[in-house]
Amino acid sequence: AAPRIGVLPYVTGGVGYMQMRVTSDLGQFTSTTRETGFNAGGGLIAFFSERNGIRGEVRYFRSFQNQAPSWTRGVQADIAPNAFDFWRAGIGVTLRTRQ
């Protein structure tokens, strides 16, 4: 069982289907790419009372493929990025219901 007051560290991860859609500033180029990817991360939940706390986490997302965007197909120059990846950080309020 979770402690009533304290800190709970956790790790998270998964594999899934990602869709990336990019449009240039002037709208000249649009690219939609679909590929499988994964995420991994971790965080902490800190309870400062029996029912209230805060949560913070950091996750890393990355696609498995090095797939070129659709608007670069047929272009010989290497102007496309490699595998799609990004980091995400979040913080929030955690409310525990009565048990």
Side-chain angles (χ1 to χ4, degrees), residues 2-80:
R4 293 292 180 202
I5 299 174
V7 176
L8 295 170
Y10 66 91
V11 295
T12 183
V15 175
Y17 187 69
M18 302 170 72
Q19 176 175 311
M20 292 75 67
R21 183 176 183 167
V22 179
T23 303
S24 65
D25 290 339
L26 299 176
Q28 299 157 321
F29 301 106
T30 298
S31 175
T32 301
T33 306
R34 296 169 188 87
E35 30 188 90
T36 56
F38 70 93
N39 76 75
L44 293 173
I45 301 174
F47 287 99
F48 47 85
S49 73
E50 286 194 22
R51 297 184 58 193
N52 303 311
I54 59 173
R55 176 193 55 83
E57 75 172 29
V58 176
R59 286 192 192 203
Y60 176 67
F61 294 82
R62 182 176 177 92
S63 64
F64 286 118
Q65 294 91 1
N66 284 338
Q67 185 174 1
S70 59
W71 58 267
T72 64
R73 293 195 180 105
V75 175
Q76 298 303 315
D78 185 15
I79 58 174

